């Protein structure tokens, strides 16, 4: 919660970052899916892969601000959730934050092990490991596996918000919606 938070909704910064992260995730997944649909040798493949990387590293950069925001009080859900739902919510958020940190780190490790640079807005991040093709393949496998699990995590997170809004009728979703 940021200083402009109220008892019933998150602050502007938290809300903006939440929805910006969603937009970046849409970009990450759209770019990699479009790249996969293009035929081998298509010059657009490199552009989509580059945008995929920029969006992914942007998620990685912004997640740290989001984590700092988690240290501040959050507006309560009303009516109060049963303990088991609160526990599942905490596990889901932990998994989402893990996704936002581990997936870009695995990409960085993958590129480092492949002997390729990690570009980000004209800068190149330093290699994390020495070139090793076998290690690069392992990192790629884990990056793709974690990325694929992101579809499910994000989908379940969105479904839970909609479930709470339309079925339970609590303020879980409205706390994170921009003001109308």
């Amino acid at each position: 919660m940021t200083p402009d938070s109220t008892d019933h909704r998150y602050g502007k910064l938290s809300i903006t970052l939440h929805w910006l992260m969603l937009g970046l995730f849409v970009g990450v997944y759209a770019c990699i899916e479009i790249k996969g649909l293009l035929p081998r040798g298509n010059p657009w493949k490199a552009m989509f892969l580059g945008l995929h990387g920029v969006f992914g590293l942007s998620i990685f950069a912004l997640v740290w601000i989001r984590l700092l925001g988690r240290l501040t009080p959050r507006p309560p859900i009303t009516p109060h959730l049963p303990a088991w739902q609160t526990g599942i919510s905490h596990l889901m958020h932990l998994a989402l934050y893990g996704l936002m940190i581990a997936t870009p780190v695995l990409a960085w490790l993958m590129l480092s092990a492949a002997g390729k640079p990690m570009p980000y807005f004209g800068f190149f991040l330093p290699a994390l490991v020495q070139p090793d093709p076998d290690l690069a393949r392992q990192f790629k496998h884990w990056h793709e596996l974690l990325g694929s699990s992101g579809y499910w995590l994000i989908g379940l997170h969105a479904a839970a918000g909609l479930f709470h809004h339309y079925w339970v009728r609590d303020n879980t979703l409205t706390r994170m919606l921009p003001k109308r």
Side-chain angles (χ1 to χ4, degrees):
M1 191 159 70
T2 56
D4 63 332
S5 298
T6 68
D7 290 341
H8 304 291
R9 50 189 315 106
Y10 284 92
K12 290 177 190 170
L13 179 61
S14 293
I15 292 170
T16 301
L17 283 173
H18 179 270
W19 296 106
L20 175 60
M21 298 292 260
L22 173 62
L24 289 170
F25 269 112
V26 168
V28 161
Y29 287 113
C31 286
I32 208 64
E33 292 297 333
I34 292 169
K35 177 198 165 281
L37 294 173
L38 296 172
R40 184 179 295 261
N42 187 305
W44 289 88
K45 284 181 89 96
M47 183 200 68
F48 283 111
L49 186 59
L51 284 173
H52 171 80
V54 167
F55 293 149
L57 283 175
S58 296
I59 289 170
F60 183 71
L62 292 173
V63 71
W64 303 104
I65 299 169
R66 302 261 335 255
L67 282 169
L68 282 174
R70 298 279 300 183
L71 298 175
T72 61
R74 292 180 295 283
I77 297 173
T78 54
H80 220 43
L81 296 180
W84 68 271
Q85 285 184 15
T86 300
I88 291 173
S89 168
H90 291 314
L91 286 175
M92 174 57 77
H93 282 99
L94 181 65
L96 286 167
Y97 282 106
L99 175 75
M100 291 184 268
I101 293 169
T103 310
V105 169
L106 285 166
W108 192 355
L109 287 164
M110 173 185 66
L111 289 175
S112 296
K116 296 178 181 175
M118 181 68 158
Y120 188 61
F121 287 113
F123 296 98
F124 293 95
L125 303 179
L128 297 176
V129 295
Q130 295 297 316
D132 180 340
D134 292 330
L135 192 57
R137 280 190 290 279
Q138 289 177 9
F139 287 135
K140 181 179 182 186
H141 168 76
W142 288 107
H143 173 76
E144 290 175 351
L145 183 67
L146 198 53
S148 294
S149 72
Y151 285 108
W152 289 98
L153 288 173
I154 295 165
L156 286 170
H157 179 69
L162 293 171
F163 171 77
H164 277 272
H165 186 71
Y166 290 107
W167 186 269
V168 179
R169 298 195 184 275
D170 61 22
N171 69 337
T172 298
L173 180 60
T174 57
R175 296 177 315 146
M176 192 51 80
L177 290 176
K179 288 183 181 177
R180 291 185 186 164

